[in-house]
Amino acid sequence: TPESAERTSVPGVATGLAVTGVGGDVLFIEASLAPKDTGASGVTLTGQLGDVMKESAQIALSYLRSHDEGAAALADRGVHIHVPAGAVPKDGPSAGVTMTTALASLLSGRPVRSDVAMTGEISLTGRVLPIGGVKQKLLAAHRAGITTVLLPQRNEPDLEDVPESVREQLTVHFVSDVAQVLDHALSKQAAATVAA
Amino acid sequence: TPESAERTSVPGVATGLAVTGVGGDVLFIEASLAPKDTGASGVTLTGQLGDVMKESAQIALSYLRSHDEGAAALADRGVHIHVPAGAVPKDGPSAGVTMTTALASLLSGRPVRSDVAMTGEISLTGRVLPIGGVKQKLLAAHRAGITTVLLPQRNEPDLEDVPESVREQLTVHFVSDVAQVLDHALSKQAAATVAA
Amino acid sequence: TPESAERTSVPGVATGLAVTGVGGDVLFIEASLAPKDTGASGVTLTGQLGDVMKESAQIALSYLRSHDEGAAALADRGVHIHVPAGAVPKDGPSAGVTMTTALASLLSGRPVRSDVAMTGEISLTGRVLPIGGVKQKLLAAHRAGITTVLLPQRNEPDLEDVPESVREQLTVHFVSDVAQVLDHALSKQAAATVAA
Amino acid sequence: TPESAERTSVPGVATGLAVTGVGGDVLFIEASLAPKDTGASGVTLTGQLGDVMKESAQIALSYLRSHDEGAAALADRGVHIHVPAGAVPKDGPSAGVTMTTALASLLSGRPVRSDVAMTGEISLTGRVLPIGGVKQKLLAAHRAGITTVLLPQRNEPDLEDVPESVREQLTVHFVSDVAQVLDHALSKQAAATVAA
Amino acid sequence: TPESAERTSVPGVATGLAVTGVGGDVLFIEASLAPKDTGASGVTLTGQLGDVMKESAQIALSYLRSHDEGAAALADRGVHIHVPAGAVPKDGPSAGVTMTTALASLLSGRPVRSDVAMTGEISLTGRVLPIGGVKQKLLAAHRAGITTVLLPQRNEPDLEDVPESVREQLTVHFVSDVAQVLDHALSKQAAATVAA
Amino acid sequence: TPESAERTSVPGVATGLAVTGVGGDVLFIEASLAPKDTGASGVTLTGQLGDVMKESAQIALSYLRSHDEGAAALADRGVHIHVPAGAVPKDGPSAGVTMTTALASLLSGRPVRSDVAMTGEISLTGRVLPIGGVKQKLLAAHRAGITTVLLPQRNEPDLEDVPESVREQLTVHFVSDVAQVLDHALSKQAAATVAA
Ligand SMILES: [Ca+2]
Ligand SMILES: [Ca+2]
Ligand SMILES: [Ca+2]
Ligand SMILES: [Ca+2]
Ligand SMILES: [Ca+2]
Ligand SMILES: [Ca+2]
Ligand SMILES: [Ca+2]
Ligand SMILES: [Ca+2]
Ligand SMILES: [Ca+2]
Ligand SMILES: [Ca+2]
Ligand SMILES: [Ca+2]
Ligand SMILES: [Ca+2]
């Protein structure tokens, strides 16, 4: 899609799927790392995130610290995760895989594929746990021109709620471990120049 | 059980038993330690844990600091304890032994036995104190395919509330000190490769 | 305008546009950096700013840390952002570009052009996202003698709500990236003497 | 008593007396010090303690810092005070002497005598101030098999409310300074092996 | 006046004007810096100050850090600003110039002139912004024997509300920049001995 | 009096006067400094003190930092101020002089005279400001066997409310600066052995 292509053109941005009051929507999760000499430290979370969603970010970071070779970059550089739009309150655990993907993209310099959107809770050991709103999320992905969607394995039964016409135009991968998510979502090549 | 086998296949995950609004349930407590060079420090607790459950985690850590030779690993590595599902509020002291077991598994590299589930409050000196909901917890363990359950010694009288048919298929060990819990729950051998 | 000329005569002050209970208004966002030897550190935000507006400041800082060569100045000097009037509560994401501009002006020593006012949410990657109240904001800019206004690209359709007579006296630039904002808003030359 | 003997068998545990909604009760205050190389620091208080009881712990620590030769151990080791049961809210100043005794036992390695229970507020200079509920507390001590009780000097008049039959089986020492409490409560010999 | 002469006899005290529930009043803003070797650090604000007034103190400090050569003294000495009476809640931005003057007096060692009182909001760049209650404040200054009052330039129209008889006995200076305030308010000579 | 003699026998304890719901009362303010090697730092305030009373303690400390040669002891030793009884909420500014006196006694090693009680708000420059409840406080001092009372100069008119019979048995000193308080209240000689 035009928007996700533009938004995910730099490493550190991943396309998620959310349920809102009026159906589903695509959202972009942005991550950045401050250069060492700019005085930033710790973790900054913005976008009016609720308690559960803030915990998802902590789980994503802890997972990557134990499983991603690039995580040493987190040691002395402040990390910031932002979810636009800035004034819209957001909560829930289903952005866990998207946060992990945005951060892994940033650490590796590999942009996220612009045709891929995802949703799923993650656990500290990297398991992908089921989420709600599969139907609305897939309709939103389809509307936004997404062609590949990553869903938790345990949400497979929910696919039958999705209209046949939409299902036929989406490639859906069911995943049970976040390593599978990263394998599907990250471009194979690092960006020529990494805008950290 | 299939799920507990999968979940506890790496060190740092222990199977607990909880009472929910609609009976008992099995829950998995996950612990991780960040590598030294990734900038993590202190203790992170996620899973929408209430005050009492957060205090249980502090007690588990203090107990292990004084009683576990591996506790030096806690000095310069951030420790994270997570209890899925991420959006479900949880509270109460009865996960104390399960938290201690998950952490001891992580520190020793010895996975928790997948056929064992447990419940019990711990004190700072390692005593195992009684908890509620024995009947619901044992029914849940049985349903989940667990074959061995660790219960506080003082909960022995509650066993008579559990249907004979269930009791016959479960091995129940009554324990008064968390050292007994660790002895029953931890595999005798460290995992070949420790995913910290 | 006389006031914005006076207010923006030193680097670190940018002219924003806000919606108030009684129409639109011009506001000035002030930024300062403490000299290294005065014991200030971190980020101070004043002006009775709400949660969303405080997050905008964090986003502006993170963006500049990754994209502005002058950001090393942030490492060991306390930064302070203030939005007068001090007793009036303010909130919302639309001051994001104005905060970024005030900070970029401070870091570069280039004053903000006094004929330019702006409004727009920013994302962590520097995208300019749409805001509300275009009509009231342009009327306020016009009343205050502003001649150039920077608006988010996606707010282009809102321009038709603005009276023809006002539109004709304003140059409006539509922007989609904060780099365009800085290009339009910052004077080409650094001030002779920078009052930090 | 069997329980207090078991609970106070290691240094760092003292037997207190409390008033609950349904009479008096014996409670055990546990203290632990983390080994230096395990990353713990500061003071951790658990057991759902209220404001006043948390302040009692701070007073106990400050008193010992100025009066106990062993207090240097507090410098670089995290100290933890826990009062089971973990889920029961507790408050009030009357555990002051018991907290001081548990900590002094820990610092000296001398276990608390298992036949002794105590109650009393402490001040920063070590004075023992009067408390409420003498009758209920002595009945509870008696029920639990305690044979020696330490009470504030100023509570001497309250002893007449205690049934003759109970008073005859208890040795009551009235104390005005916490040094007297420690003299009565701590075993004369350090434990062979100190479980810190 | 006798009281302001006494109160402002040492550097670090400035005379402000406030509106209370029952008219206007003179208040004294006191500032102190702790000697380096006494373990104080950071900024302490007392006098039951509200959010807006606390922000005024932060603005005053940031302004001086960037504009006062003496500000290096702030680096390693704790600064304390107190506004008696201690139990009376106070709020609002109008003490900004008074706080700045008290701090500048402290940093320079020059006492504040005892015949001068002042009121005005300050911005981060040192602009003096208008305040309310001009009439009540001038009546209070007059009652207290003050002979010179510093007011924001933009409050000039409010002077017509002040009775002729009072206006004739007060010298009023209208100021737009806090540098003008300091020029009017600080004695030309440093005190012989500075009580920090 | 017997009680104040006992309580003030060590440096760091001063006798104050308070108004309670049922008249006046004598209270003892205790201060302690932790030895350097015991890991304490900062300021600890206990006794269920309200906001205003906590601010009084901060003012007392800042005053002494600037005016007491012994204040260097505060640099690396934790200071603790406690006001028994531990469970009784207390608030108000009138304990300012008593807190200052307790701390000055501690820093100098000179005990507070046991026949002296005091009340008064202090400002940051050491001025003694007026308080309420003079009649009740003097009655309470008299009842407690106190023979010398220190009152704020501005409370002199309140003395006429005190019964002649009580006034005749009390020596009242009116003070306007806390230096006068310390001169009246501290014993001329340091204690032989200082229990810090
Ligand atoms: Ca919540
Ligand atoms: Ca999502
Ligand atoms: Ca709670
Ligand atoms: Ca459990
Ligand atoms: Ca909010
Ligand atoms: Ca704006
Ligand atoms: Ca309370
Ligand atoms: Ca007790
Ligand atoms: Ca407020
Ligand atoms: Ca003022
Ligand atoms: Ca208050
Ligand atoms: Ca007092």
Side-chain angles (χ1 to χ4, degrees):
Chain A
T1 80
E3 185 169 18
S4 69
E6 199 170 47
R7 298 289 282 260
T8 63
S9 62
V10 291
V13 184
T15 308
L17 298 170
V19 177
T20 69
V22 293
D25 206 358
V26 163
L27 56 76
F28 300 97
I29 293 185
E30 303 179 325
S32 79
L33 274 170
K36 285 190 198 183
D37 61 354
T38 57
S41 66
V43 180
T44 303
L45 303 173
T46 53
Q48 294 294 294
L49 311 186
D51 290 353
V52 173
M53 202 165 176
K54 284 178 181 167
E55 290 192 353
S56 287
Q58 291 182 296
I59 297 165
L61 279 163
S62 288
Y63 172 81
L64 290 170
R65 284 191 164 105
S66 296
H67 293 82
D68 190 310
E69 291 178 3
L74 298 167
D76 29 35
R77 300 174 59 181
V79 61
H80 187 152
I81 298 174
H82 176 59
V83 190
V88 179
K90 307 165 195 80
D91 208 354
S94 78
V97 296
T98 324
M99 285 175 159
T100 311
T101 302
L103 286 165
S105 165
L106 187 69
L107 293 173
S108 66
R110 293 162 59 190
V112 178
R113 287 177 45 191
S114 66
D115 57 328
V116 175
M118 66 201 72
T119 180
E121 177 174 342
I122 53 160
S123 88
L124 197 49
T125 55
R127 299 196 66 76
V128 178
L129 304 177
I131 48 75
V134 166
K135 181 182 174 187
Q136 297 100 309
K137 286 173 174 176
L138 262 61
L139 291 175
H142 180 255
R143 263 197 319 273
I146 293 291
T147 56
T148 301
V149 174
L150 309 181
L151 288 181
Q153 183 70 55
R154 287 206 224 156
N155 284 109
E156 189 161 8
D158 300 323
L159 205 63
E160 66 183 24
D161 302 336
V162 182
E164 177 76 14
S165 61
V166 168
R167 255 190 294 164
E168 282 176 350
Q169 298 179 56
L170 289 174
T171 304
V172 177
H173 296 293
F174 293 101
V175 292
S176 58
D177 191 290
V178 78
Q180 298 168 282
V181 174
L182 300 181
D183 200 44
H184 284 297
L186 295 183
S187 301
K188 296 310 169 214
Q189 306 248 342
T193 308
V194 179
Chain B
T1 82
E3 184 169 17
S4 70
E6 198 171 47
R7 299 288 281 261
T8 62
S9 62
V10 289
V13 184
T15 308
L17 298 169
V19 177
T20 69
V22 293
D25 206 356
V26 163
L27 56 76
F28 300 96
I29 292 185
E30 303 179 326
S32 80
L33 274 170
K36 284 191 199 184
D37 61 355
T38 56
S41 66
V43 179
T44 303
L45 303 174
T46 54
Q48 294 293 294
L49 311 186
D51 290 353
V52 172
M53 202 164 175
K54 284 179 181 166
E55 290 191 355
S56 287
Q58 291 182 296
I59 298 165
L61 279 163
S62 288
Y63 172 80
L64 290 170
R65 283 190 164 106
S66 296
H67 293 81
D68 190 311
E69 291 178 3
L74 298 167
D76 29 34
R77 300 173 60 179
V79 61
H80 187 152
I81 298 174
H82 177 59
V83 189
V88 179
K90 307 164 195 83
D91 209 354
S94 78
V97 296
T98 323
M99 286 176 159
T100 311
T101 301
L103 286 165
S105 166
L106 187 68
L107 293 173
S108 67
R110 294 162 58 190
V112 178
R113 287 176 46 189
S114 66
D115 56 328
V116 175
M118 66 200 73
T119 180
E121 176 175 343
I122 54 159
S123 87
L124 197 50
T125 56
R127 299 196 66 77
V128 178
L129 304 176
I131 47 76
V134 167
K135 181 182 173 187
Q136 297 99 309
K137 287 173 175 177
L138 262 63
L139 291 174
H142 180 255
R143 263 196 320 273
I146 295 290
T147 55
T148 301
V149 173
L150 310 180
L151 288 182
Q153 183 69 54
R154 287 204 224 156
N155 283 110
E156 188 160 8
D158 300 324
L159 206 62
E160 66 183 22
D161 302 337
V162 181
E164 176 79 13
S165 60
V166 168
R167 255 190 294 165
E168 281 177 351
Q169 298 179 56
L170 289 174
T171 303
V172 177
H173 296 293
F174 293 101
V175 293
S176 57
D177 191 291
V178 79
Q180 297 170 284
V181 174
L182 300 181
D183 200 45
H184 284 298
L186 295 182
S187 301
K188 297 311 169 213
Q189 307 247 343
T193 308
V194 179
Chain C
T1 80
E3 186 171 16
S4 69
E6 199 171 48
R7 299 289 282 260
T8 63
S9 61
V10 290
V13 184
T15 309
L17 298 170
V19 177
T20 69
V22 294
D25 206 358
V26 163
L27 56 75
F28 300 97
I29 293 186
E30 303 179 325
S32 79
L33 274 170
K36 285 191 199 183
D37 60 354
T38 56
S41 66
V43 180
T44 303
L45 303 173
T46 53
Q48 294 293 293
L49 311 186
D51 291 352
V52 173
M53 202 165 177
K54 284 179 182 167
E55 290 192 354
S56 287
Q58 291 181 296
I59 297 164
L61 279 163
S62 288
Y63 172 81
L64 291 170
R65 284 192 163 105
S66 296
H67 293 82
D68 190 310
E69 292 178 1
L74 298 167
D76 29 35
R77 300 171 61 180
V79 61
H80 187 153
I81 298 174
H82 176 59
V83 190
V88 179
K90 307 165 195 82
D91 208 354
S94 77
V97 297
T98 323
M99 285 174 160
T100 311
T101 301
L103 286 165
S105 165
L106 188 68
L107 293 173
S108 66
R110 294 162 59 190
V112 178
R113 286 177 46 191
S114 66
D115 57 327
V116 175
M118 66 201 72
T119 180
E121 176 175 341
I122 53 160
S123 88
L124 198 49
T125 56
R127 301 196 64 77
V128 178
L129 304 177
I131 48 73
V134 166
K135 181 181 173 187
Q136 297 99 308
K137 287 174 174 176
L138 262 62
L139 290 175
H142 180 255
R143 259 197 323 272
I146 294 290
T147 56
T148 301
V149 174
L150 309 181
L151 288 182
Q153 182 70 54
R154 289 206 222 155
N155 283 109
E156 188 160 8
D158 300 324
L159 206 64
E160 66 183 23
D161 302 336
V162 181
E164 176 77 13
S165 61
V166 168
R167 256 191 292 164
E168 281 177 350
Q169 297 180 55
L170 289 174
T171 303
V172 177
H173 296 294
F174 293 101
V175 293
S176 58
D177 191 290
V178 78
Q180 298 169 281
V181 174
L182 300 181
D183 199 45
H184 284 297
L186 296 183
S187 301
K188 297 310 168 211
Q189 308 246 341
T193 309
V194 180
Chain D
T1 81
E3 185 169 18
S4 69
E6 198 171 44
R7 300 288 281 260
T8 63
S9 63
V10 290
V13 184
T15 308
L17 298 170
V19 177
T20 69
V22 293
D25 205 358
V26 162
L27 56 75
F28 300 97
I29 293 185
E30 302 179 325
S32 80
L33 274 170
K36 285 191 199 184
D37 62 354
T38 56
S41 65
V43 179
T44 302
L45 303 173
T46 54
Q48 295 293 293
L49 311 186
D51 291 352
V52 172
M53 203 164 175
K54 284 179 181 167
E55 289 192 355
S56 287
Q58 292 182 296
I59 298 164
L61 279 163
S62 288
Y63 172 81
L64 290 170
R65 283 190 164 106
S66 297
H67 294 82
D68 190 310
E69 291 177 3
L74 299 167
D76 28 34
R77 300 173 61 179
V79 61
H80 187 152
I81 298 174
H82 176 61
V83 189
V88 179
K90 308 165 194 82
D91 209 353
S94 78
V97 297
T98 323
M99 286 175 158
T100 310
T101 301
L103 286 165
S105 165
L106 187 68
L107 293 174
S108 67
R110 294 160 59 189
V112 178
R113 288 175 46 189
S114 66
D115 56 328
V116 175
M118 66 200 72
T119 180
E121 175 175 342
I122 55 159
S123 87
L124 198 49
T125 55
R127 300 195 66 77
V128 178
L129 304 177
I131 48 74
V134 166
K135 181 181 173 188
Q136 297 99 308
K137 287 173 175 177
L138 262 61
L139 290 175
H142 180 255
R143 263 197 319 273
I146 294 291
T147 56
T148 301
V149 174
L150 310 180
L151 288 181
Q153 182 70 55
R154 287 205 224 154
N155 282 110
E156 187 158 10
D158 299 324
L159 206 62
E160 66 183 22
D161 301 336
V162 182
E164 177 78 14
S165 62
V166 168
R167 256 190 293 165
E168 280 177 350
Q169 297 179 55
L170 289 174
T171 304
V172 177
H173 296 292
F174 293 101
V175 294
S176 57
D177 191 289
V178 78
Q180 298 170 283
V181 174
L182 300 181
D183 199 47
H184 284 297
L186 296 183
S187 300
K188 296 311 167 212
Q189 308 246 343
T193 309
V194 180
Chain E
T1 78
E3 186 170 16
S4 69
E6 199 171 47
R7 299 289 282 259
T8 63
S9 62
V10 290
V13 183
T15 309
L17 298 169
V19 177
T20 69
V22 293
D25 205 358
V26 163
L27 56 75
F28 300 97
I29 293 186
E30 303 180 325
S32 79
L33 275 170
K36 284 191 200 184
D37 61 354
T38 56
S41 67
V43 179
T44 302
L45 303 173
T46 53
Q48 294 293 293
L49 310 187
D51 290 353
V52 173
M53 202 164 177
K54 283 179 182 167
E55 290 192 354
S56 287
Q58 291 181 296
I59 296 164
L61 279 163
S62 288
Y63 172 81
L64 290 170
R65 284 191 163 106
S66 296
H67 293 82
D68 190 311
E69 292 177 2
L74 299 167
D76 28 35
R77 300 171 61 180
V79 61
H80 187 152
I81 298 175
H82 176 60
V83 190
V88 179
K90 307 165 195 84
D91 208 354
S94 78
V97 297
T98 324
M99 285 175 159
T100 310
T101 300
L103 286 165
S105 164
L106 188 68
L107 293 173
S108 66
R110 294 162 58 191
V112 179
R113 286 176 46 190
S114 66
D115 56 327
V116 176
M118 66 199 73
T119 180
E121 176 175 343
I122 53 159
S123 88
L124 198 49
T125 56
R127 300 195 65 77
V128 177
L129 303 176
I131 47 74
V134 166
K135 181 181 172 188
Q136 297 99 310
K137 287 174 173 176
L138 262 62
L139 290 175
H142 180 254
R143 260 196 324 270
I146 294 290
T147 56
T148 301
V149 174
L150 309 181
L151 288 182
Q153 182 70 55
R154 288 206 224 155
N155 283 110
E156 188 160 9
D158 299 324
L159 206 63
E160 66 183 23
D161 302 336
V162 181
E164 177 78 13
S165 61
V166 167
R167 257 191 292 163
E168 282 177 350
Q169 297 180 55
L170 290 174
T171 302
V172 176
H173 296 292
F174 292 101
V175 293
S176 58
D177 191 288
V178 78
Q180 298 169 283
V181 174
L182 301 181
D183 199 46
H184 285 298
L186 296 183
S187 301
K188 296 312 168 211
Q189 308 247 343
T193 309
V194 180
Chain F
T1 80
E3 186 170 17
S4 69
E6 198 172 45
R7 299 289 282 259
T8 63
S9 62
V10 289
V13 184
T15 308
L17 298 169
V19 176
T20 69
V22 294
D25 205 358
V26 163
L27 56 75
F28 300 97
I29 292 186
E30 302 179 325
S32 79
L33 275 170
K36 285 190 201 183
D37 61 353
T38 56
S41 65
V43 179
T44 303
L45 303 173
T46 54
Q48 295 292 294
L49 310 187
D51 291 352
V52 172
M53 202 163 175
K54 284 179 181 167
E55 290 192 354
S56 287
Q58 291 181 296
I59 297 164
L61 279 162
S62 289
Y63 172 81
L64 290 170
R65 284 191 164 106
S66 297
H67 294 82
D68 190 310
E69 292 177 2
L74 299 167
D76 28 35
R77 300 172 59 180
V79 60
H80 187 152
I81 298 174
H82 177 60
V83 190
V88 179
K90 307 166 195 83
D91 207 353
S94 78
V97 297
T98 324
M99 285 176 159
T100 311
T101 301
L103 286 165
S105 165
L106 188 67
L107 294 173
S108 67
R110 294 161 59 189
V112 178
R113 287 175 46 190
S114 66
D115 56 327
V116 175
M118 66 199 73
T119 180
E121 176 175 344
I122 53 159
S123 88
L124 199 49
T125 55
R127 300 195 65 77
V128 178
L129 303 176
I131 47 74
V134 167
K135 181 181 172 187
Q136 297 97 310
K137 287 174 173 176
L138 290 198
L139 291 175
H142 180 255
R143 261 198 322 272
I146 294 290
T147 56
T148 302
V149 174
L150 309 181
L151 287 182
Q153 182 71 54
R154 288 205 223 155
N155 282 110
E156 188 160 9
D158 300 324
L159 206 62
E160 65 183 23
D161 302 336
V162 182
E164 177 79 14
S165 62
V166 167
R167 255 190 294 164
E168 281 177 350
Q169 298 179 56
L170 289 175
T171 303
V172 177
H173 296 293
F174 293 101
V175 293
S176 58
D177 192 288
V178 78
Q180 298 169 283
V181 174
L182 301 181
D183 200 47
H184 284 298
L186 296 183
S187 301
K188 296 312 167 209
Q189 308 247 343
T193 308
V194 179

